[in-house]
Amino acid sequence: MFKKIKKFLSWCEREEYIKVNVATKVEAPKVPRKLLKGFNAEMPKETYLGLWRKS
């Protein structure tokens, strides 16, 4: 949403609807990154065996 507002204000400045783009002084908010759950030692074995059991 922040990027859309910033682009809109940049467009307004280019088209001379506003004199100064106030969004240039504002930094984008930091979004926390999600850590993905990794594999454990049993997961590949379970997946392999699961493929053969379903058929």
Side-chain angles (χ1 to χ4, degrees), residues 1-53:
M1 186 69 167
F2 177 77
K3 287 183 181 181
K4 291 178 183 180
I5 294 170
K6 196 167 184 174
K7 286 181 183 182
F8 173 71
L9 290 173
S10 294
W11 176 82
C12 288
E13 185 181 27
R14 265 195 327 272
E15 297 294 319
E16 298 179 353
Y17 289 111
I18 59 176
K19 292 181 182 181
V20 178
N21 183 357
V22 294
T24 56
K25 297 178 183 178
V26 179
E27 292 184 20
K30 302 279 182 178
V31 178
R33 291 185 173 191
K34 294 181 183 177
L35 283 176
L36 299 177
K37 188 175 157 183
F39 290 106
N40 62 23
E42 293 296 317
M43 285 179 130
K45 181 179 174 184
E46 291 170 0
T47 305
Y48 177 76
L49 293 175
L51 289 173
W52 290 104
R53 288 181 188 152

